[in-house]
Amino acid sequence: MNKNIKLVIWSALVTLVLIALPSIIQYAPQLVGKSFTDQEDFTYRMEQVYDNLSSTVLNPIDLKKAEKELTVSPDEIEEYRQRYGTLSAQLDNIQQQYAERIADAKSEKNETLLLALVKERNMKLEEIQKNFDSDSYVEDKIRSEKAKALASQIRETENNQEMNIPISYDLVNVETGERFTRGDVEVTSLFQQQFTDATGYFKANSAVYDNGYDDYSMEQPSMFTDDGVEGISNPPQYFEGTVIIPSDAAVSGAMAKENDQFIRGKYMIYGLWVLGVLALAALFTIIKFQKEWVLQPRFAATYSRWKIDVKVALLLLTAFILTLYFESTIFNIFNQFMYLNLGTISNMAVSFFLIGVLFTALLVFQAVHLFMLYREPGRLMKDWRESFTMQFTQDVRDTFNNRTIGVQLSLLLMIFFLAGVGLVGGFMQPELLVIYAFCILFVLLPALFIYVKKTAYLNRILAATNDMAAGHLTQAIPVKGKSQLAKHATNLNNLREGVRVSINEQAKSERLKTELITNVSHDLRTPLTSIITYTDLLKDESLTAEERAKYVGILDQKSQRLKTLIEDLFEVSKMASGNLEMVKQRVDLNQLIQQALAEHAEEFVEQDLHVRTTLPEEPVYALVDGQKWWRVLDNLLINVWKYSLPGTRVYVNLQQVGSNARIVLKNVARYELGDTTDELFERFKRGDASRQTEGSGLGLAIAQSIVELHGGRMEVEVDGDLFKVTIDVVGG
């Protein structure tokens, strides 16, 4: 058998299954084992019959009594008066209505018509005047119209009594004992309902509502509709007894025809369900689907070249059409099963093959090809990048991102202008509304979204710029996308960051300058003051040789301290300017650390500090200037024994970390350091805030400068009173 024929047969079976099985699930409870009288439509019609029976026979409204109960509220009177405006407005309106006709009658010298028009006008003017002069006059008019509406509704209810359902009943009022009968309820019945204390009494309600009246004098519909008469009803009456539809009704008449149509249609539905079950069995046994049916090279090659978004759109459209088709078919079959005839069945068969089979085969073809295509690794992402959607998105992005704001705004305004023109054209030519809706969905709405988004973004940039101008530099502008606005936001952020850093550096520079002047003044003044003081003392000729020698020794000590301070300051300045010469060579850091520790061993003993070293057995080399590196270690060890808490341990560690050498010194500080480690590298900054200890305060600053000149890194960490220095330098 040909592949195409097999595909058509398989699609027909699938379509049949998709129509039959859902209808079984949805409608079987309403049809299987049910009769015509079990259907919802019949139940609704019986409720209408009961309502008419209550209103016309069991508990009818007394029209004369109801007319006496009619009421007219002050609001109704006022509404009636003011419906067409104020008194003056209504009088003027009537005058204008008749002015032209009266003038024409005068010009034609038609005295009969003229007198009739004048009389008619005056009557209406008088009628309007009475409406505003007398409440009772308006009330009588409204009540009269309500009475007419009541009578009309009662007559209409009596005319709709039968509802094409012939019933017999025998009902007794449970309170008064009054009996109402019609026909014989003892005969064989097509439908029967008992009303007893156990099953529930028949509740007969009667109420009428005004459906409106005509204000003939004003030649306009009434203002009273639906709620003009409310609450005109009899108290509910309760009845027990029987209501039946005689079985004769199923033999002749309208009921018989409906019953026959129901039975015939029900068995046709049964036949459809049987065909659906057989089709399902055939799909699992005889006609099993084979993907070769749809993988035909001629169509597959063409389909594979289509863009992925076109494929997905066609797949979704096909699935959507099939879904609507199945829902519509199932709904129509069930709602028309009582009226199925040869013509209806023929039309359904044609739609079955033209829509159901065709679109089922098309859906399977697309689904199988998509599955086979995108099993290939990377094919899905490749096709998506080449899709119309991605191309359109990129084009839109390029259109708006790589253009000036003026060009972008011009494009958006042009789109909005064309949208307005299209709306006018759509109203003038309704068939263009489909194209207009497409343009709205895929052009105007995206353009509106872009416009609102960019406007909001521009407002945020302007607000942030105002904050920057006011000196608020803490909040950065969010950078979104690659548009001109995003580039502008980036530039503003860079400017903000530059200004902020500049302000911080300026503040820091001012603070350091102040501290430097203060510290240098203090550290220079202390030895200089001693030198001046002892020089003045030496001028005393009465000094003994022993006192003179003592003063000279102090002068020498203070002079050396002043010299050291000036040399350290000069050396830091040279390092900062980059004029320091270095002679790098391969140095064993292990040996250098041991020599430095030996040099300061006595100081550590004097300060009651216990040194613990962790040094490797083999040499650790680094390419450094030996003298400068000795200065680094010397400054660090001096810093340790000066500012360590007596009686604590000092840890010195050297290790090879990859191609680098790492030196780590740890000690417990004698003074409280705080949390800011950056200040420890500042010039003339000391751990001793009172500056009672000897030293220039340049030790760590000099050490850090030397390490950085060697391309290394020096870090200080403070954890409570634990002081830790880590130095990394390139190995040699």
Side-chain angles (χ1 to χ4, degrees):
M1 190 183 298
N2 187 285
K3 292 181 179 179
N4 293 335
I5 296 177
K6 290 181 178 179
L7 179 60
V8 170
I9 295 174
W10 182 86
S11 300
L13 293 175
V14 170
T15 305
L16 186 59
V17 168
L18 293 178
I19 292 174
L21 294 188
S23 66
I24 293 176
I25 297 172
Q26 186 171 358
Y27 297 122
Q30 302 177 41
L31 290 179
V32 178
K34 304 295 184 180
S35 65
F36 172 72
T37 59
D38 295 321
Q39 305 307 304
E40 291 182 359
D41 180 65
F42 178 82
T43 302
Y44 171 76
R45 291 167 65 186
M46 284 302 299
E47 290 176 355
Q48 297 295 103
V49 169
Y50 290 153
D51 288 342
N52 285 322
L53 180 62
S54 299
S55 300
T56 59
V57 178
L58 301 179
N59 194 11
I61 293 291
D62 187 339
L63 179 58
K64 293 183 178 181
K65 179 181 178 182
E67 289 177 352
K68 294 179 180 179
E69 295 178 359
L70 290 174
T71 60
V72 178
S73 67
D75 290 340
E76 290 176 322
I77 295 174
E78 190 63 25
E79 176 69 19
Y80 184 90
R81 283 174 174 164
Q82 300 290 340
R83 181 169 184 177
Y84 298 102
T86 61
L87 173 61
S88 59
Q90 294 184 44
L91 294 175
D92 183 61
N93 184 34
I94 296 298
Q95 292 282 9
Q96 292 179 13
Q97 289 180 22
Y98 285 88
E100 185 176 354
R101 297 167 62 189
I102 290 174
D104 291 341
K106 286 181 179 180
S107 63
E108 295 173 0
K109 298 181 178 181
N110 190 337
E111 294 295 334
T112 303
L113 177 60
L114 177 62
L115 291 175
L117 289 174
V118 172
K119 181 178 180 181
E120 183 178 334
R121 180 197 63 185
N122 293 339
M123 288 178 61
K124 289 190 176 183
L125 293 174
E126 184 180 355
E127 181 78 13
I128 293 173
Q129 189 66 51
K130 288 181 179 180
N131 288 341
F132 281 86
D133 291 342
S134 173
D135 288 350
S136 60
Y137 179 75
V138 177
E139 182 179 349
D140 290 341
K141 290 173 64 176
I142 295 176
R143 183 176 287 106
S144 175
E145 293 300 330
K146 286 186 176 184
K148 292 179 182 179
L150 282 176
S152 175
Q153 186 177 358
I154 292 175
R155 287 194 301 271
E156 182 180 353
T157 303
E158 292 174 348
N159 294 335
N160 295 331
Q161 181 176 353
E162 290 296 334
M163 295 295 293
N164 294 325
I165 300 180
I167 63 171
S168 298
Y169 53 83
D170 183 3
L171 298 170
V172 178
N173 192 312
V174 296
E175 294 183 1
T176 65
E178 185 178 4
R179 180 181 295 273
F180 297 86
T181 63
R182 177 181 175 180
D184 186 1
V185 296
E186 300 297 331
V187 300
T188 306
S189 62
L190 182 66
F191 168 84
Q192 179 176 338
Q193 187 168 2
Q194 295 285 343
F195 298 96
T196 63
D197 185 21
T199 60
Y201 292 128
F202 184 103
K203 183 179 180 181
N205 290 314
S206 291
V208 289
Y209 299 90
D210 176 26
N211 290 324
Y213 65 90
D214 291 328
D215 181 7
Y216 300 107
S217 64
M218 304 299 292
E219 298 181 353
Q220 293 292 341
S222 168
M223 60 186 170
F224 300 102
T225 56
D226 296 335
D227 57 352
V229 179
E230 184 172 356
I232 298 180
S233 61
N234 292 333
Q237 301 293 318
Y238 296 90
F239 296 82
E240 63 178 352
T242 306
V243 176
I244 71 166
I245 299 176
S247 57
D248 293 343
V251 176
S252 62
M255 282 287 295
K257 183 178 179 181
E258 293 180 7
N259 189 55
D260 291 342
Q261 289 176 338
F262 173 80
I263 295 173
R264 183 178 66 252
K266 181 171 72 170
Y267 284 108
M268 285 186 178
I269 293 293
Y270 287 172
L272 173 65
W273 291 349
V274 171
L275 289 176
V277 173
L278 293 176
L280 182 63
L283 290 173
F284 284 100
T285 55
I286 303 173
I287 309 294
K288 292 184 178 180
F289 177 75
Q290 298 178 14
K291 61 184 180 182
E292 290 77 13
W293 297 347
V294 294
L295 294 178
Q296 300 182 25
R298 183 177 60 180
F299 296 109
T302 303
Y303 182 76
S304 62
R305 291 194 296 269
W306 292 357
K307 301 293 186 180
I308 184 174
D309 42 3
V310 175
K311 296 175 186 175
V312 172
L314 286 177
L315 180 66
L316 294 177
L317 178 62
T318 305
F320 177 72
I321 292 174
L322 268 180
T323 302
L324 290 181
Y325 166 74
F326 288 132
E327 289 183 352
S328 175
T329 301
I330 294 171
F331 177 81
N332 289 332
I333 287 176
F334 183 77
N335 285 276
Q336 298 181 14
F337 75 95
M338 291 175 55
Y339 312 104
L340 291 177
N341 51 46
L342 186 59
T344 305
I345 295 174
S346 300
N347 293 334
M348 292 173 56
V350 171
S351 68
F352 176 85
F353 279 98
L354 290 183
I355 300 178
V357 176
L358 175 62
F359 278 89
T360 299
L362 185 60
L363 180 66
V364 172
F365 169 82
Q366 296 178 75
V368 171
H369 275 276
L370 281 175
F371 176 75
M372 298 300 294
L373 278 175
Y374 298 115
R375 288 177 60 188
E376 303 176 18
R379 177 67 183 268
L380 179 61
M381 294 305 300
K382 175 179 177 296
D383 283 4
W384 175 248
R385 287 192 293 268
E386 298 174 355
S387 66
F388 287 125
T389 302
M390 289 300 295
Q391 292 176 8
F392 177 75
T393 303
Q394 186 61 43
D395 291 342
V396 172
R397 185 183 297 116
D398 293 342
T399 299
F400 287 96
N401 285 348
N402 299 328
R403 300 288 187 275
T404 64
I405 295 178
V407 173
Q408 295 180 30
L409 186 59
S410 299
L411 288 173
L412 289 171
L413 290 176
M414 185 180 299
I415 291 173
F416 295 147
F417 173 75
L418 293 177
V421 173
L423 181 61
V424 175
F427 281 115
M428 297 177 64
Q429 297 290 334
E431 58 271 14
L432 297 178
L433 288 176
V434 175
I435 301 176
Y436 180 73
F438 178 85
C439 294
I440 288 291
L441 185 61
F442 293 100
V443 179
L444 180 61
L445 290 182
L448 181 61
F449 173 77
I450 293 173
Y451 174 76
V452 172
K453 185 177 180 181
K454 286 186 175 294
T455 303
Y457 191 29
L458 178 60
N459 288 334
R460 287 196 291 271
I461 292 176
L462 293 176
T465 304
N466 292 333
D467 288 342
M468 289 175 57
H472 306 300
L473 305 174
T474 56
Q475 187 66 35
I477 304 173
V479 179
K480 298 180 179 180
K482 299 180 181 179
S483 65
Q484 295 294 329
L485 292 178
K487 294 177 182 178
H488 183 60
T490 302
N491 294 334
L492 287 175
N493 284 337
N494 293 336
L495 179 62
R496 178 195 64 83
E497 185 63 22
V499 172
R500 189 184 63 81
V501 171
S502 176
I503 292 175
N504 290 341
E505 289 296 329
Q506 183 178 2
K508 183 178 179 181
S509 176
E510 292 295 331
R511 180 177 60 83
L512 290 178
K513 185 187 296 183
T514 303
E515 290 186 0
L516 178 63
I517 293 172
T518 302
N519 293 335
V520 169
S521 299
H522 179 275
D523 289 344
L524 289 176
R525 185 172 62 249
T526 300
L528 188 59
T529 301
S530 299
I531 290 173
I532 294 173
T533 301
Y534 284 100
T535 300
D536 290 339
L537 292 174
L538 285 174
K539 293 178 181 179
D540 187 357
E541 296 180 355
S542 63
L543 291 175
T544 63
E546 181 179 353
E547 289 175 334
R548 191 176 299 276
K550 178 181 177 182
Y551 292 163
V552 170
I554 293 174
L555 284 173
D556 180 64
Q557 179 185 358
K558 299 300 181 181
S559 299
Q560 291 297 326
R561 171 166 169 72
L562 187 60
K563 176 185 176 183
T564 300
L565 181 63
I566 294 173
E567 288 178 348
D568 286 348
L569 186 59
F570 181 68
E571 189 169 2
V572 168
S573 299
K574 286 200 300 181
M575 291 179 185
S577 62
N579 295 326
L580 187 66
E581 295 183 0
M582 292 191 300
V583 180
K584 293 184 179 181
Q585 56 187 352
R586 197 163 179 262
V587 176
D588 181 6
L589 297 181
N590 196 342
Q591 182 179 1
L592 195 64
I593 291 175
Q594 293 181 19
Q595 292 175 359
L597 289 172
E599 182 76 18
H600 296 282
E602 293 184 4
E603 285 91 343
F604 284 118
V605 173
E606 290 177 1
Q607 296 295 329
D608 192 20
L609 299 174
H610 308 284
V611 180
R612 299 289 185 267
T613 59
T614 303
L615 305 175
E617 296 181 358
E618 62 278 358
V620 177
Y621 294 101
L623 190 62
V624 296
D625 185 322
Q627 291 183 351
K628 301 296 186 295
W629 208 257
W630 169 267
R631 182 68 183 276
V632 171
L633 296 175
D634 186 59
N635 283 2
L636 292 177
L637 292 176
I638 290 174
N639 188 75
V640 167
W641 67 258
K642 274 186 178 181
Y643 298 111
S644 292
L645 183 67
T648 59
R649 298 183 182 88
V650 176
Y651 296 90
V652 181
N653 181 20
L654 173 66
Q655 56 182 327
Q656 190 81 36
V657 180
S659 60
N660 294 343
R662 175 172 291 175
I663 302 172
V664 180
L665 288 85
K666 293 187 288 187
N667 65 284
V668 178
R670 177 185 303 180
Y671 305 99
E672 186 175 349
L673 299 177
D675 297 327
T676 305
T677 59
D678 293 341
E679 294 182 354
L680 298 176
F681 291 109
E682 296 175 5
R683 300 172 186 179
F684 294 93
K685 192 72 177 180
R686 296 188 190 177
D688 175 16
S690 63
R691 310 185 70 82
Q692 298 299 318
T693 57
E694 294 290 335
S696 64
L698 297 173
L700 287 180
I702 292 174
Q704 184 187 40
S705 299
I706 294 174
V707 170
E708 290 177 351
L709 288 173
H710 281 84
R713 185 179 63 179
M714 177 174 171
E715 294 182 351
V716 172
E717 299 177 36
V718 175
D719 186 1
D721 292 332
L722 178 63
F723 183 80
K724 178 181 177 181
V725 179
T726 303
I727 301 174
D728 288 322
V729 66
V730 179

